[in-house]
Amino acid sequence: MTDRDIYLPVAAQPSVSTLVGLSQLAEAEGYERVWLPETWGRDAVTTLTSIADGTDEVGIGTSLLNVYSRSPSLIGQTAATLQEASGGRLRVGLGPSGLRVIEGWHGESFERPLRRTRETIDVVKQVLSGETVAYDGDIFELSGFRLRCDPPDPAPPIDAGGLGPKAVELAGRFADGWHALLVTADGMADRLDDFERGVELGGRDRASQRVTFSVPCCALDDRERARQLTRQHIAFYVGGMGTYYRDALARQGYEETATTVFEGWNAGEREAAVAAVDDDLLDALAVAGTPEECRDRLARFEGIDGVDAINVSFPRAAQRADIEATMAALAP
């Protein structure tokens, strides 16, 4: 059975307590896990600590921590601490992010993102084992570090994000799962093939791995508002987050539409870019409309063979009432 998770809002919220309250609501409505991105607002680690303290059973996760702004050893320490603070409810999501974020926001050179992700996963697993870290990689040469506290038991699983074929293969080969974001229902077939190839190359146990598919959702009685909010969300990602999502959609057969959205957004023609997200692309990527429509559409995503969890995410411009209505409409 496919689990149903919540991807907490990517847009900055009024307070940490707002995010704790949404997590408590997710727990009460039966969602399996709440995932927190780390983007423009509050850092994921401090916020997830508050969420862990304010909830009892719902899982928590990072989706995603980038592998440039923290060292691998620090990510390992952080994962161990969050696993302790949450009573074993953590799942760690890691990924390279993109050039605009890493170089523009963090001042780091966006070099060899796949290799850096793979080596970070290796080091984090060593840290979490409680053994002394000894690592001789292409990027990291580390020795001497060891946790001075009991290692977490069990160690939290480590998932990897990514959209390109090699990134998804890497997740299958080295990580405990893969996070899919802004992938069409049809496009998942190719990427799941990449993941399975990685599983085979790494000699992994697929039954112990987890594919989490994040789907933008907006279920409102006001159908047009729900769909317009979701169009805006897609246009922002395709146009405003570098070429990463544009290129991913091009690989999935939407090159012309993705290019139109991208060019319009970057020319300052935001309304035209949003309008270019036609119904075909909107419904291929997202679940938006009335509650009844959305329940049917979400079932289609959940029925994809190889997907273990659906992550109900929200348009970045959604208001608290929109988020709560969507959570209620799509509760497990």
Side-chain angles (χ1 to χ4, degrees), residues 201-270:
L201 287 169
R204 307 298 302 281
D205 175 13
R206 176 62 177 90
S208 70
Q209 295 173 300
R210 180 183 179 96
V211 171
T212 300
F213 187 5
S214 184
V215 180
C217 298
C218 195
L220 305 174
D221 291 331
D222 185 343
R223 183 179 191 272
E224 289 311 309
R225 173 176 170 77
R227 292 179 71 79
Q228 186 65 10
L229 284 171
T230 312
R231 285 186 214 279
Q232 292 169 354
H233 179 83
I234 293 169
F236 170 79
Y237 270 87
V238 176
M241 296 295 286
T243 61
Y244 185 66
Y245 294 105
R246 180 200 66 182
D247 294 345
L249 287 177
R251 284 193 297 269
Q252 296 173 70
Y254 289 89
E255 182 173 7
E256 182 177 349
T257 303
T259 299
T260 300
V261 173
F262 179 85
E263 291 178 349
W265 188 276
N266 286 279
E269 299 170 356
R270 303 294 169 83

Side-chain angles (χ1 to χ4, degrees), residues 117-271:
T117 300
R118 181 259 172 96
E119 292 194 10
T120 298
I121 292 170
D122 289 344
V123 173
V124 171
K125 287 185 174 182
Q126 282 196 24
V127 171
L128 292 172
S129 75
E131 302 298 320
T132 300
V133 173
Y135 193 79
D136 183 16
D138 292 348
I139 296 175
F140 298 108
E141 293 185 14
L142 307 173
S143 62
F145 177 83
R146 182 171 67 84
L147 286 175
R148 291 298 188 265
C149 57
D150 291 335
D153 184 20
I158 302 171
D159 298 339
L163 291 178
K166 288 299 182 181
V168 180
E169 180 185 295
L170 180 151
R173 189 173 182 180
F174 300 106
D176 301 310
W178 168 48
H179 281 232
L181 175 68
L182 227 65
V183 180
T184 66
D186 291 339
M188 277 297 288
D190 290 337
R191 297 292 75 83
L192 284 167
D193 285 345
D194 298 327
F195 185 77
E196 297 290 350
R197 183 170 60 253
V199 172
E200 184 175 351
L201 287 169
R204 307 298 302 281
D205 175 13
R206 176 62 177 90
S208 70
Q209 295 173 300
R210 180 183 179 96
V211 171
T212 300
F213 187 5
S214 184
V215 180
C217 298
C218 195
L220 305 174
D221 291 331
D222 185 343
R223 183 179 191 272
E224 289 311 309
R225 173 176 170 77
R227 292 179 71 79
Q228 186 65 10
L229 284 171
T230 312
R231 285 186 214 279
Q232 292 169 354
H233 179 83
I234 293 169
F236 170 79
Y237 270 87
V238 176
M241 296 295 286
T243 61
Y244 185 66
Y245 294 105
R246 180 200 66 182
D247 294 345
L249 287 177
R251 284 193 297 269
Q252 296 173 70
Y254 289 89
E255 182 173 7
E256 182 177 349
T257 303
T259 299
T260 300
V261 173
F262 179 85
E263 291 178 349
W265 188 276
N266 286 279
E269 299 170 356
R270 303 294 169 83
E271 290 185 6

